[in-house]
Amino acid sequence: MTHRIALILLLLCIAGAAGAAVAGDALPVVQPEGRYVDDDEAASYLPTPPGSRARFRQLLNAAIQNNPRNVSALAHRAFLFMEGGDAKRARRDYDAALAASEPGSRYERHVLWSRGWSNYDEGDFAATYADWQRAIALHGGGPFWAPYSLALLYWSAGQSEPALQWYATAAVANPEWSTPEGVAVRTRRWSPAQRERMQALFAAWVATAQQ
């Protein structure tokens, strides 16, 4: 038991130190409400085919040239720009995608969901929080992606208590989050940094649950 407690404290300290370095002010704490099992077609993306990143960019460019208000293409290109370190062009495309989205529609939710992940990868956790909270509110229910995404966000920001609460909610909504194999499946397309943080959160949640 002593070793288990020591492991929990170590994990929480590491998370707090890492989050404090990039997160700044603490995020507002929102408690889980209900079950988060609702589908959300807005939380989807087109994975880049292996070795075809340039071709994928060409297809997106062509789609946008054909229709400058193609929300999906704009959001996907923005995400690629952000991944490539071109934040200026990414923000331009995200802004254009939002402007082309009907207010309150799944298209607006998609842009907010996608931009939230881009902001997360940039370490702008406050902007991520704002985008995701808006997307959840527009959904109007309990979108499946909310608990694990907010758990990761709070954990990365060094706020371990709400992170563990949201992770527990994610594990109830989808049992895959309660096993190492399930976590590996759920995060198989995530970036290495995202997977590493989620695995650390999972280990802390397991250690806490076994107290």
Side-chain angles (χ1 to χ4, degrees), residues 107-165:
Y107 296 105
E108 182 181 9
R109 296 203 319 271
H110 172 67
V111 178
L112 292 169
W113 174 82
S114 177
R115 190 175 68 177
W117 278 108
S118 287
N119 287 327
Y120 172 85
D121 288 336
E122 287 291 294
D124 191 343
F125 299 148
T128 302
Y129 175 88
D131 280 343
W132 285 350
Q133 286 298 326
R134 177 61 178 159
I136 293 168
L138 289 176
H139 181 278
F144 71 92
W145 58 269
Y148 66 79
S149 300
L150 291 175
L152 177 66
L153 176 61
Y154 279 120
W155 181 260
S156 301
Q159 295 173 244
S160 56
E161 184 174 344
L164 290 168
Q165 290 176 339

Side-chain angles (χ1 to χ4, degrees), residues 179-204:
T179 68
E181 297 80 10
V183 172
V185 169
R186 297 295 302 174
T187 62
R188 66 189 182 279
R189 291 176 178 160
W190 291 18
S191 71
Q194 292 169 356
R195 286 198 302 271
E196 182 178 354
R197 289 171 178 171
M198 186 58 93
Q199 287 166 357
L201 173 53
F202 170 72

Side-chain angles (χ1 to χ4, degrees), residues 22-57:
V22 295
D25 295 336
L27 300 173
V29 175
V30 176
Q31 301 294 333
E33 294 183 1
R35 301 180 68 228
Y36 292 81
V37 295
D38 295 341
D39 290 336
D40 187 359
E41 58 184 343
S44 63
Y45 74 104
L46 299 173
T48 305
S52 302
R53 186 182 183 88
R55 176 57 179 161
F56 186 48
R57 177 78 64 80

